[in-house]
Amino acid sequence: MIRKFMIATALVAMAAGSAMADPIEGNWRTQAGSTAQIASCGGSYCITLKSGKHAGRQIGKMSASGGGKYAGQITDPESDKTYKGKATLSGSSLKLGGCVLGGIICRNQTWNRL
């Protein structure tokens, strides 16, 4: 009886864990018009282009900082340069930024949830 209860509890916990996806996860329309997928990967969130010229390429990895903010690295697929990146989630918009030289030179984009 106890064993059945423990198995049932474990199954419920696994189902609840998969249903509680982070709000950043999903498909996003990039500023260039491509589709990017953000998915959980080893305790972080990997950003992979799903359409466009660089489809299939992973272009970033972010970790949650709290309060809808994320930090990590982002790669410009055109130049193949990787930058210190950050992202801020606000409703169905995701503002991404990448900086070099200690934050002196930055580029920002806003993506929209699909």
Side-chain angles (χ1 to χ4, degrees), residues 5-92:
F5 176 75
M6 290 174 60
I7 291 172
T9 302
L11 289 173
V12 169
M14 287 184 344
S18 64
M20 296 175 59
D22 193 275
I24 198 172
E25 290 182 280
N27 292 318
W28 297 87
R29 175 76 57 210
T30 69
Q31 208 162 292
S34 300
T35 299
Q37 180 185 48
I38 301 178
S40 179
C41 63
S44 297
Y45 300 97
C46 291
I47 306 168
T48 305
L49 292 174
K50 293 297 181 182
S51 69
K53 182 178 175 181
H54 302 284
R57 180 148 185 222
Q58 183 177 321
I59 60 164
K61 193 170 190 176
M62 300 264 177
S63 296
S65 302
K69 297 183 186 286
Y70 300 82
Q73 294 185 333
I74 191 111
T75 300
D76 177 352
E78 288 295 325
S79 67
D80 200 35
K81 293 184 180 180
T82 301
Y83 304 95
K84 182 177 180 180
K86 61 182 179 177
T88 304
L89 182 64
S90 178
S92 62

